[in-house]
Amino acid sequence: MLERRDYRAIPGVKAADVWAKVWDWWQRSGFALYHVGPNHFTGSSYYSKIGLTREIEVRLQEANEAVYIDVAFRARITEAGAVGGAAAAVLFLPLAVVGGAMLFVTTPPFGTPYPVAPPPAPPAGRACARCGGGLAPEWRVCPYCGQPTTGNVPPPTPSS
């Protein structure tokens, strides 16, 4: 059996604002829900193929200009599910071992080698001779260290 409880606070929200969304989310998740009291509902779902039963209990409490949400979740596998799981393990475990061994034999040692692309070239542009900071073409002084950039001005590009 798995049990989990989660408790969260959402400031600046009213319970009436989130009630319909919370109810809708749990209902879309496959739970049959019923209303227990104000801002309180419970629900359950059952997966017959695997024998899994899930149960939830949700409470919304307003206090201190916030909504406090308390969610309790329980899941358990029935005896039928446990027997079915054991039978599936007995049937499929040998197949998984054989399949894994075949995959191990036919796969290269460290996976498929991928071609290594060379690193991209640095962007063409100017750099400050003193600090190496990137410079825009129209800058005459480095904004990072104050070094004049008159010595490393690129040639003008022809405009069309």
Side-chain angles (χ1 to χ4, degrees):
M1 177 183 236
L2 167 77
E3 289 190 23
R4 178 172 167 102
R5 188 170 199 119
D6 197 9
Y7 190 76
R8 304 229 173 173
I10 303 174
V13 178
K14 301 276 186 199
D17 297 338
V18 296
W19 173 261
K21 293 177 183 178
V22 172
W23 179 280
D24 186 53
W25 190 88
W26 284 103
Q27 200 167 31
R28 288 177 188 248
S29 296
F31 286 85
L33 304 176
Y34 65 92
H35 191 253
V36 177
N39 299 328
H40 180 197
F41 65 88
T42 186
S44 65
S45 76
Y46 178 69
Y47 290 97
S48 60
K49 289 184 180 180
I50 60 174
L52 176 66
T53 301
R54 302 182 303 166
E55 300 169 353
I56 56 133
E57 185 174 357
V58 178
R59 291 182 181 162
L60 304 176
Q61 177 81 29
E62 283 186 31
N64 302 327
E65 298 179 9
V67 171
Y68 296 88
I69 301 174
D70 182 16
V71 178
F73 179 83
R74 289 175 292 283
R76 65 175 173 260
I77 295 181
T78 61
E79 289 180 20
V83 170
V90 168
L91 291 175
F92 294 115
L93 185 61
L95 293 174
V97 169
V98 170
M102 289 180 65
L103 185 64
F104 179 76
V105 170
T106 59
T107 305
F110 293 105
T112 305
Y114 294 103
V116 177
R126 299 188 312 157
C128 176
R130 183 189 295 170
C131 69
L135 302 172
E138 66 273 3
W139 291 351
R140 303 271 182 229
V141 176
C142 176
Y144 307 109
C145 67
Q147 173 75 21
T149 61
T150 55
N152 53 350
V153 175
T157 57
S159 59
S160 44

